[in-house]
Amino acid sequence: MIRVLIADDQDLVRLGLRALVESEEDLALAGEASDGLRAVELARQVRPDVVLMDIRMPGIDGIEATRRIVADPDLTSTRVVVLTTFELDEYVFDALRHGASGFLTKDTRPAELLRAIRLVAEGEALLSPSVTRRVVREFATRPSRVLRPHPRLEALTDRERQVVGLVGEGLNNEEIAAQLVVSPATARTHVSRAMGKLGARDRAQLVVFAYQSGLVSG
């Protein structure tokens, strides 16, 4: 059973998400919050598998709430999916940088949202290649961009650095394999090893590391 916490300040949105979650046999509603502080408080109380987190909420916003949840050592198995109105919302990258496992737009179809919840609960990152490329490119080309190379970056082999850069560009394992002319299994192994060396929670965080370390040219 996947336990889902819903955090959104709009009653109708929470109602719709609750109805969707409760309609599935393998999902259970862990709680609801209408502001960021309550979302953090509830997450610590009920320890959900997945949090559906709105960005703009009273109290503290969804980004800060995400940061606090991800930083809590008792919530290492909790994954956060950010809900946003626009794919290129200026806050989306900050949410990923603070530990969100991915994001969805609020007009996402119900079937896709359900698939996303299950995917993230299994430890995967919810980052479609096309949206990832657009988000990273948007922020990588900003004049205010400041590189913060990961302290363990030197531990990566040249091939692993190359793979992390390709992950940062939004490529999946099959696309990485095709570009490097290796098998998908080999690409998957490189990604896994890079995540281990960098201490990445999931593929979403690997994208952030690639951006911050200058491995994505934009």
Side-chain angles (χ1 to χ4, degrees), residues 160-177:
E160 288 166 352
R161 288 168 67 100
Q162 186 179 16
V163 166
V164 172
L166 293 174
V167 170
E169 292 176 7
L171 274 64
N172 59 33
N173 290 341
E174 289 70 24
E175 292 169 328
I176 291 172

Side-chain angles (χ1 to χ4, degrees), residues 40-217:
V40 176
E41 180 183 328
L42 268 180
R44 289 170 175 163
Q45 289 177 1
V46 303
R47 300 187 182 184
D49 299 298
V50 176
V51 180
L52 297 179
M53 181 78 74
D54 185 25
I55 287 183
R56 296 180 178 88
M57 290 187 292
I60 59 173
D61 64 20
I63 296 173
E64 176 60 19
T66 295
R67 187 193 69 77
R68 295 187 188 187
I69 289 172
V70 171
D72 193 320
D74 292 329
L75 297 174
T76 55
S77 62
T78 296
R79 296 290 181 263
V80 179
V81 175
V82 168
L83 300 177
T84 180
T85 306
F86 305 105
E87 286 184 347
L88 289 179
D89 190 305
E90 65 185 70
Y91 299 113
V92 167
F93 193 83
D94 281 341
L96 296 178
R97 184 166 60 85
H98 285 300
S101 292
F103 64 93
L104 290 170
T105 55
K106 289 188 176 181
D107 60 357
T108 297
R109 290 176 296 180
E112 179 64 17
L113 176 59
L114 293 171
R115 186 191 73 83
I117 291 172
R118 296 180 178 109
L119 186 70
V120 170
E122 292 172 359
E124 296 295 325
L126 184 63
L127 291 169
S128 69
S130 61
V131 174
T132 302
R133 291 189 190 102
R134 287 159 57 188
V135 170
V136 173
R137 187 169 295 117
E138 167 77 10
F139 287 89
T141 55
R142 288 192 170 187
S144 59
R145 180 189 184 193
V146 178
L147 295 181
R148 298 183 182 88
H150 193 284
R152 302 180 197 169
L153 194 62
E154 296 304 318
L156 299 183
T157 65
D158 289 342
R159 178 47 62 90
E160 288 166 352
R161 288 168 67 100
Q162 186 179 16
V163 166
V164 172
L166 293 174
V167 170
E169 292 176 7
L171 274 64
N172 59 33
N173 290 341
E174 289 70 24
E175 292 169 328
I176 291 172
Q179 183 150 332
L180 299 181
V181 195
V182 298
S183 70
T186 297
R188 190 177 306 112
T189 297
H190 286 313
V191 171
S192 179
R193 287 177 178 169
M195 288 179 63
K197 289 180 180 181
L198 296 177
R201 282 167 56 97
D202 53 30
R203 202 178 183 98
Q205 197 166 31
L206 206 58
V207 170
V208 175
F209 289 162
Y211 159 81
Q212 292 181 324
S213 298
L215 299 180
V216 179
S217 63

